[in-house]
């Protein structure tokens, strides 16, 4: 039984995340979408909201569950739930530069491997930061996020 973790702040969840998580579900028996409390960022959505939205998006996807990651180390979370791998999408070289030191550290800490999946090109420009910025300046983000996220963003504006 191979269990993988797809971790992130998901603030908010966007189509790039969804696509990578769906592909991960095809590679592993179980996928846990681990929603982090990220103290270094001011989040747009609360942890509860981010978990709710992800749960709704992945409800129909076999083997995929959503859980809070807590405020500790990702490597410890993986160890506690018996996950052997972290899976992350890579959009570009900057993502790689950012992710590799974390991947090496997670392996050193708990022997957790990291698997990188290349981002689907049509979502390679999408990030939570871009979604928040476009939305906050009045732009349409419906192509970039799942329907539930678009509705929650719309509700925030009203
Ligand atoms: O979506 P994000 O904000 O890029 O997600 C980053 C996240 C939460 C996956 C990353 O910051 C993380 O793994 N945080 C947990 C703390 C930890 O383990 N830090 C050391 C990694 S070397």
């Amino acid at each position: 039984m191979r269990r993988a973790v797809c971790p992130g702040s998901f603030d908010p969840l966007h189509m790039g995340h969804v696509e990578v998580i769906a592909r991960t579900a095809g590679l592993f028996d179980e996928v846990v979408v681990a929603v982090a409390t990220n103290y270094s960022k001011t989040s747009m959505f609360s942890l509860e909201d981010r978990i709710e939205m992800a749960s709704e998006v992945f409800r129909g996807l076999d083997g995929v569950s959503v859980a809070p990651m807590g405020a500790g180390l990702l490597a410890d979370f993986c160890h506690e739930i018996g996950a052997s791998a972290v899976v992350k999408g890579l959009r570009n070289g900057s993502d790689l530069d950012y992710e590799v030191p974390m991947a090496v550290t997670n392996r050193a800490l708990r022997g957790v491997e990291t698997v990188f999946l290349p981002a689907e090109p049509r979502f390679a420009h999408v990030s939570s930061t871009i979604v928040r910025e476009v939305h906050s300046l009045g732009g349409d983000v419906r192509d970039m996020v799942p329907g539930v996220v678009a509705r929650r963003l719309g509700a925030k504006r009203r």
Side-chain angles (χ1 to χ4, degrees):
M1 224 282 295
R2 291 270 175 202
R3 181 175 291 152
V5 169
C6 290
S9 305
F10 304 116
D11 188 38
L13 183 75
H14 57 67
M15 292 311 294
H17 294 131
V18 173
E19 205 267 336
V20 164
I21 292 164
R23 279 156 66 200
T24 305
L27 297 172
F28 288 83
D29 302 307
E30 274 187 21
V31 180
V32 177
V33 178
V35 184
T37 305
N38 195 339
Y39 291 114
S40 63
K41 296 179 186 173
T42 313
S43 52
M44 178 178 206
F45 288 99
S46 69
L47 178 65
E48 292 70 27
D49 283 350
R50 288 178 282 132
I51 288 174
E52 246 175 61
M53 287 186 275
S55 301
E56 186 165 336
V57 169
F58 297 114
R59 189 168 293 146
L61 201 52
D62 255 12
V64 178
S65 60
V66 179
M69 194 177 97
L73 287 169
L74 173 60
D76 288 343
F77 178 82
C78 291
H79 181 75
E80 277 156 27
I81 68 162
S84 51
V86 168
V87 179
K88 294 246 181 137
L90 286 185
R91 292 165 295 198
N92 49 44
S94 306
D95 276 357
L96 185 72
D97 290 346
Y98 174 71
E99 295 292 348
V100 166
M102 291 201 284
V104 173
T105 306
N106 288 331
R107 183 160 178 266
L109 287 169
R110 288 290 197 177
V112 178
E113 293 286 5
T114 299
V115 175
F116 294 120
L117 298 182
E120 158 67 38
R122 81 199 136 110
F123 298 130
H125 63 294
V126 179
S127 68
S128 297
T129 306
I130 290 268
V131 169
R132 288 197 303 271
E133 176 150 341
V134 171
H135 171 75
S136 70
L137 298 174
D140 186 350
V141 294
R142 283 175 297 178
D143 285 350
M144 293 193 258
V145 297
V148 57
V149 175
R151 289 192 290 281
R152 295 278 187 116
L153 285 166
K156 268 195 182 292
R157 182 174 284 148
R158 284 192 291 276

